[in-house]
Amino acid sequence: MFGKFARVVAGLSMAAWGVTAHAAYQLNLQTPATKEGVSVHELHTIILVICVVIFIGVFGAMGYAMYAHRKSKGHVAAQFHENTLVEILWTVIPFVILVLIAWPATRTLLAMRDTAQPDLTIKATGYQWKWGYDYLSGEGEGISFLSNLATPADQIHGTAPKGEHYLLEVDNPLVVPVGKKVRVLTTGADVIHSWYVPALAVKQDANPGFIRDTWFRADKEGTYRGQCAELCGKDHGFMPIVVEVVSAEKYTAWVGERTKKVAAAAEDADKVWDLAALKQRGEKVYQTNCVACHQANGMGTPPAFPPLSGSKVVNGPKEAQIALELNGKQGTAMAPFKQLSDTDLAAVITYVRNSWANKTGEVIQPAEIKAARK
Amino acid sequence: MSAVLDTHGHDDHAHHPTGIMRWVTTTNHKDIGTMYLWFSFTMFLVGGIMALVIRTELFAPGLQIVDPERFNAMTTYHGLIMVFGAIMPAFVGFANWLIPMQIGAPDMAFPRMNNLSFWLLPPAALLLIVAQFTPGGGAGVGWTMYAPLTVQAPMSMDLTIFAVHILGASSIMGSINIITTILNMRAPGMGLMRIPLFCWTWLITAYLLIAVMPVLAGAVTMTLTDRHFGTTFFNAAGGGDPVLYQHIFWFFGHPEVYIIAIPAFGVISQIIPAFARKPLFGYTSMVYATASIAVLSFLVWAHHMYTVGMPVEGQLYFMYATVLIAVPTGVKVFNWVATMWRGSLTFETPMLFACGFLFLFTMGGFTGLVLSIVPIDVQLHDTYYVVAHFHYVMVAGALFSAFGGIYFWLPKWTGKMYNETLGKWHFWLSFIFFNMTFFVQHFLGLAGMPRRIPDYSLQFTEFNVISSIGAWGFGLSQLLFLYIVVSTIRSGKKAADKQWDGADSLEWTHLPSPPPYHSFETPPVLK
Ligand SMILES: [Cu+2]
């Protein structure tokens, strides 16, 4: 109890110190990195100015009345309660202003929704609580990976100082080439998520069972950070999105490197492992991919996320568990994990089947996963 | 026997039970109104404590006082309790107290049903609170309760669904009562276009409630059967669609915004003329503007869901329909300002709250206009900008209006006057701390901070610190309000029958302060 209290106080005072240490105080939208973002920025400025002008008009009048028409100044109330001309004017003028606003808004919207003829198509899948990316067409087709929060837990719990990109850093960022039209298909594996990168002016819900799309064309190289924007459960605040926009050459190099890695992992799949080595590797995979739901002690957070320790599936025939890991389970929060390599999957299954109350003693080899994929 | 009955005759029901049984069995509109208001204030404190848990957690980056599940539960039940437990019952309390007196009726049309609609509220509130202590804790799904997250949620979700059903039944009964009372029980000569604007706003609101509460009940019932009975309304694998839930919910949810705002407009429309000592400008256009806002509110629901991936034609339609609402809303604001124009103004506490309402509600209206523009909303949807926007509408709008109304009618209801100095303190503290809490959230949203997150990245720290300090200030200021009300009831100075110069509705002109237990047993004579 006292420890927790001390942590709270320490955390709060650190934040108070932070106010003076680094002043962000950003007042407006993030600097846009796409043409559409620039349009949105301009649109927002126009409407803001219109609102401020009307606001000053209306409350200027109110302020004047509050000052000049006070009883304490001896002002006697007039008794008018209608004026047809004024009433028509203040109905028609706002209407005209709204039409003027709607015009540029419509133009911008039509451009934002035109996803035709992309150079690159990537599917973004929202999982509880990470993003998965599949490069579907264009340069890099076939690349597929998961993108997890990279901020260590001790930074979140205040036992380590927070890094510069606290909560906005991932292990595998989405890499795309600069100046190319990137179409992003969104879908959810379990509940609704939302793919949101402010600087790219993109936010698209990821609905389970459906595919929706959006697009962006980044003008500048750089790293753009965003977050899941639709409440998706416990770790909704911990599934960031990082997009790295790189030059065409760098992108080609990245694609080459990625493809080589996949090939290496495929060869790797024929290697035969022993229990200890596989378990050790499996624990790492578990920490990255499974721990958010099933917990470090394997007890899960029932009912949505059942315990693995003592689970019937985990202690039953291994084929059933392999199929479950590869395909997920319909109608539950269990997502498919086929993006992981054969070795990683073999390792994590071995780890789970030999941890906590589970003592099957079985070693699952990567080759078995490879076979099960077919 | 019959002789006894004869001698007591008409006065018999004035011999009501005393003590707790008076309140349990009462069918008197004033007693029921009082209970609604106290219930609402209690829920306001409960929801407020939840808000302070949220703001304290967000005071600093990192997780400090609650884990993420508990945090999500706090945002969920803060919303549900404030909307269904605090704000809606507050205005039903006003309706109960005022409608019979303002139209010259002895009581509400269905007094026993009136008792039932109140007494349904405490069990519903209890369910929402007990839900926090069930296995798995409160459901962290947001007050909007989007599927399929709700299908995963622990058993507290079922309690919450049941609570929503009960609250809906209570609202529908209350609405039937209000409509029947206003349409059938007006004193002779009190034509529909003569009733005070507060009654008009409630008449329109009651129709909205009857139209949309069943829709909400439907949405949560579908959630319930998806959870337990194998239906797949919101599950694509069974031919359903998670977005269907959002359409149904917001078909309720958008009119709900006006269910909260329209009675607030009514209260403001009573207060401003009273302190301007001048009749309300544009009574008729006020009635039409309110009615058209109500009708339009059924046609714009999907502006809450621009990012679900609807066709661009759909986005365009909902954008155009939504900006249209700015026209009648603007008319109302202009009317209020015109009422003040060339009046003879004084600024007692109710008028301060009315001016605060006008100022801040208009800001909420403008951010609403910004959000109605699809390309901008794509940036701001589900960020703190939206949180700031609807708190400007709900807190600075509905809550300030309710405070103004309490200060305005407290002298009438209790026959005693509140302490004007403390009232003004309450206003200024609320006004300053409210803006400190929520104004900075616009900046957070613009910079891209998503809502409903228990922890945030470092660039959002400064404004969150300011917002959290403001929230504590705002919360503590409300204890002053409690003190003012209690000390008025206990030891306030005697109030005049017509405490405010410019007040002109029947409760001020025809009834003493406090009014008798049964007012207008014979209809008032109207000129
Ligand atoms: Cu998410």
Side-chain angles (χ1 to χ4, degrees):
Chain A
M1 190 62 217
F2 180 75
K4 185 163 183 183
F5 178 73
R7 262 211 326 278
V8 170
V9 173
L12 296 182
S13 53
M14 245 160 79
W17 177 79
V19 177
T20 47
H22 66 103
Y25 294 114
Q26 188 190 329
L27 299 182
N28 206 339
L29 294 159
Q30 292 186 17
T31 315
T34 65
K35 211 170 116 243
E36 283 58 42
V38 173
S39 315
V40 171
H41 217 117
E42 287 169 359
L43 204 53
H44 177 253
T45 309
I46 295 170
I47 294 175
L48 193 65
V49 168
I50 292 175
C51 288
V52 169
V53 170
I54 299 176
F55 196 85
I56 291 173
V58 172
F59 290 97
M62 184 172 117
Y64 179 76
M66 287 167 92
Y67 167 74
H69 304 155
R70 299 173 83 99
K71 195 184 173 206
S72 56
K73 293 190 132 197
H75 196 271
V76 181
Q79 289 301 313
F80 68 88
H81 56 88
E82 260 169 357
N83 185 327
T84 315
L85 177 67
V86 169
E87 289 179 69
I88 289 176
L89 279 182
W90 71 36
T91 311
V92 172
I93 294 175
F95 184 79
V96 172
I97 295 176
L98 292 175
V99 172
L100 293 180
I101 293 176
W103 169 248
T106 305
R107 242 187 10 211
T108 307
L109 178 62
L110 290 175
M112 283 172 86
R113 289 301 301 272
D114 180 13
T115 54
Q117 290 165 328
D119 300 310
L120 196 62
T121 302
I122 300 170
K123 184 172 80 166
T125 308
Y127 298 96
Q128 284 174 317
W129 290 278
K130 58 183 156 281
W131 289 95
Y133 297 109
D134 298 271
Y135 288 61
L136 297 183
S137 66
E139 187 182 0
E141 185 178 327
I143 292 177
S144 160
F145 55 87
L146 291 172
S147 183
N148 290 285
L149 176 73
T151 303
D154 47 0
Q155 288 191 19
I156 296 171
H157 291 105
T159 46
K162 295 178 177 34
E164 186 189 356
H165 298 298
Y166 177 69
L167 295 189
L168 293 180
E169 49 200 347
V170 296
D171 52 0
N172 300 307
L174 184 69
V175 179
V176 296
V178 70
K180 291 276 163 41
K181 183 168 187 174
V182 181
R183 179 175 179 227
V184 181
L185 308 180
T186 64
T187 188
D190 29 52
V191 298
I192 303 173
H193 303 264
S194 190
W195 202 77
Y196 171 38
V197 185
L200 302 177
V202 165
K203 183 184 287 134
Q204 177 58 55
D205 289 2
N207 305 326
F210 292 85
I211 290 189
R212 295 286 179 258
D213 67 347
T214 183
W215 70 278
F216 64 89
R217 187 200 304 269
D219 296 331
K220 279 180 296 218
E221 292 174 39
T223 306
Y224 303 101
R225 298 168 197 274
Q227 282 172 275
C228 176
E230 181 62 62
L231 177 62
C232 56
K234 177 167 83 78
D235 285 347
H236 163 58
F238 305 91
M239 48 182 293
I241 298 151
V242 178
V243 180
E244 252 165 43
V245 178
V246 298
S247 66
E249 304 79 62
K250 269 197 196 153
Y251 180 70
T252 308
W254 177 80
V255 169
E257 201 183 301
R258 261 280 156 195
T259 324
K260 242 186 273 161
K261 239 196 212 163
V262 173
E267 260 166 48
D268 209 8
D270 297 326
K271 185 179 158 192
V272 177
W273 295 65
D274 65 22
L275 179 63
L278 211 49
K279 223 183 126 178
Q280 197 185 3
R281 177 162 177 162
E283 185 170 2
K284 280 203 198 100
V285 180
Y286 186 84
Q287 294 300 345
T288 318
N289 295 288
C290 319
V291 79
C293 302
H294 294 295
Q295 306 296 309
N297 59 6
M299 295 313 291
T301 41
F305 311 110
L308 299 180
S309 183
S311 141
K312 266 193 211 139
V313 177
V314 174
N315 293 289
K318 59 185 174 185
E319 291 74 17
Q321 196 188 350
I322 293 173
L324 183 67
E325 305 278 340
L326 283 172
N327 307 320
K329 191 174 175 194
Q330 276 289 344
T332 70
M334 181 61 192
F337 282 87
K338 56 180 182 294
Q339 299 91 331
L340 296 180
S341 72
D342 294 340
T343 313
D344 281 345
L345 274 172
V348 77
I349 294 173
T350 305
Y351 171 73
V352 168
R353 291 174 83 83
N354 294 288
S355 297
W356 317 299
N358 309 328
K359 298 192 170 57
T360 60
E362 286 170 320
V363 184
I364 315 297
Q365 294 299 341
E368 295 176 62
I369 308 290
K370 199 174 170 186
R373 279 189 201 270
K374 283 165 192 147
Chain B
M1 264 319 268
S2 66
V4 175
L5 273 181
D6 282 344
T7 51
H8 279 74
H10 177 76
D11 281 323
D12 198 41
H13 56 279
H15 295 184
H16 46 76
T18 51
I20 181 84
M21 284 317 281
R22 164 180 172 190
W23 300 101
V24 175
T25 61
T26 184
T27 54
N28 180 283
H29 74 101
K30 299 186 179 80
D31 285 353
I32 294 173
T34 304
M35 289 196 294
Y36 263 108
L37 289 167
W38 277 113
F39 172 82
S40 145
F41 188 73
T42 312
M43 287 296 106
F44 175 62
L45 294 184
V46 173
I49 289 168
M50 292 175 164
L52 290 182
V53 172
I54 295 169
R55 281 310 333 164
T56 307
E57 177 58 56
L58 292 176
F59 181 76
L63 294 176
Q64 284 95 20
I65 62 163
V66 282
D67 52 27
E69 290 106 319
R70 180 67 64 187
F71 181 90
N72 290 342
M74 288 293 107
T75 60
T76 305
Y77 292 88
H78 163 71
L80 287 170
I81 285 176
M82 286 305 199
V83 168
F84 293 106
I87 297 188
M88 287 170 71
F91 286 104
V92 181
F94 280 106
N96 261 292
W97 256 104
L98 296 172
I99 289 173
M101 296 201 293
Q102 290 191 333
I103 63 171
D107 204 307
M108 297 294 280
F110 304 114
R112 289 193 184 85
M113 187 164 82
N114 203 9
N115 173 292
L116 180 59
S117 26
F118 172 76
W119 281 108
L120 283 174
L121 295 182
L126 214 59
L127 283 172
L128 291 179
I129 294 167
V130 165
Q132 307 306 313
F133 305 101
T134 52
V141 293
W143 85 278
T144 50
M145 301 179 283
Y146 277 11
L149 190 57
T150 44
V151 179
Q152 275 185 3
M155 68 176 285
S156 51
M157 194 66 227
D158 302 317
L159 302 189
T160 308
I161 290 171
F162 191 41
V164 169
H165 281 143
I166 298 175
L167 291 163
S170 161
S171 289
I172 290 169
M173 283 191 260
S175 302
I176 292 173
N177 218 339
I178 286 168
I179 292 174
T180 315
T181 307
I182 295 178
L183 292 185
N184 294 308
M185 296 181 62
R186 297 190 312 279
M190 178 63 87
L192 263 185
M193 289 314 270
R194 268 188 82 171
I195 61 176
L197 210 80
F198 176 75
C199 298
W200 257 116
T201 54
W202 249 114
L203 182 62
I204 292 166
T205 303
Y207 276 107
L208 283 182
L209 273 168
I210 291 183
V212 301
M213 288 314 285
V215 177
L216 174 65
V220 295
T221 307
M222 288 156 94
T223 305
L224 187 74
T225 61
D226 267 17
R227 281 168 62 80
H228 298 296
F229 305 112
T231 58
T232 52
F233 292 113
F234 308 130
N235 182 352
D241 184 344
V243 175
L244 172 66
Y245 175 86
Q246 298 181 28
H247 282 290
I248 304 174
F249 179 85
W250 286 113
F251 188 82
F252 147 81
H254 196 71
E256 170 69 19
V257 174
Y258 292 99
I259 286 166
I260 288 171
I262 288 178
F265 296 163
V267 169
I268 297 300
S269 302
Q270 301 297 118
I271 295 176
I272 290 183
F275 293 91
R277 295 166 179 78
K278 182 165 164 278
L280 182 70
F281 186 90
Y283 174 93
T284 316
S285 79
M286 248 2 192
V287 172
Y288 286 120
T290 311
S292 52
I293 289 174
V295 171
L296 281 174
S297 76
F298 286 109
L299 306 174
V300 297
W301 73 91
H303 68 212
H304 295 270
M305 34 194 291
Y306 281 147
T307 63
V308 292
M310 71 180 87
V312 68
E313 295 82 356
Q315 288 177 318
L316 286 174
Y317 160 71
F318 281 107
M319 175 167 75
Y320 298 152
T322 304
V323 293
L324 218 52
I325 292 191
V327 174
T329 313
V331 167
K332 300 195 76 110
V333 173
F334 299 143
N335 280 338
W336 287 319
V337 173
T339 305
M340 290 169 70
W341 188 254
R342 292 178 55 207
S344 176
L345 296 164
T346 53
F347 295 92
E348 287 89 342
T349 309
M351 186 60 167
L352 286 181
F353 272 103
C355 294
F357 163 92
L358 210 54
F359 194 74
L360 300 176
F361 179 80
T362 304
M363 269 171 58
F366 279 134
T367 52
L369 182 65
V370 170
L371 288 169
S372 72
I373 306 299
V374 183
I376 305 178
D377 184 72
V378 167
Q379 281 281 3
L380 299 178
H381 175 70
D382 270 335
T383 69
Y384 262 83
Y385 193 91
V386 175
V387 176
H389 158 70
F390 66 70
H391 282 93
Y392 267 81
V393 178
M394 298 282 142
V395 181
L399 184 66
F400 272 33
S401 153
F403 282 146
I406 297 281
Y407 285 111
F408 187 62
W409 279 293
L410 203 57
K412 172 56 60 184
W413 295 340
T414 62
K416 290 173 187 169
M417 192 55 192
Y418 62 87
N419 181 325
E420 194 64 66
T421 314
L422 288 181
K424 285 180 176 164
W425 267 98
H426 176 224
F427 168 75
W428 284 110
L429 288 172
S430 298
F431 185 83
I432 291 166
F433 282 123
F434 169 81
N435 282 296
M436 185 171 169
T437 312
F438 293 106
F439 194 75
V440 293
Q441 293 184 359
H442 292 113
F443 303 134
L444 288 172
L446 285 166
M449 176 171 164
R451 66 194 280 206
R452 293 168 170 166
I453 55 174
D455 191 5
Y456 50 83
S457 50
L458 302 180
Q459 79 268 32
F460 302 128
T461 309
E462 291 76 16
F463 287 133
N464 273 295
V465 170
I466 295 172
S467 181
S468 293
I469 296 172
W472 273 96
F474 187 82
L476 293 176
S477 305
Q478 305 321 314
L479 299 179
L480 176 61
F481 174 68
L482 178 65
Y483 171 78
I484 294 171
V485 172
V486 170
S487 66
T488 304
I489 293 170
R490 288 185 150 191
S491 57
K493 283 203 223 67
K494 174 98 185 74
D497 290 349
K498 189 164 179 292
Q499 179 66 34
W500 314 112
D501 290 355
D504 62 352
S505 42
L506 292 184
E507 79 274 24
W508 299 107
T509 54
H510 283 63
L511 291 172
S513 300
Y517 196 61
H518 295 283
S519 31
F520 297 127
E521 287 180 332
T522 50
V525 181
L526 302 175
K527 280 164 273 165

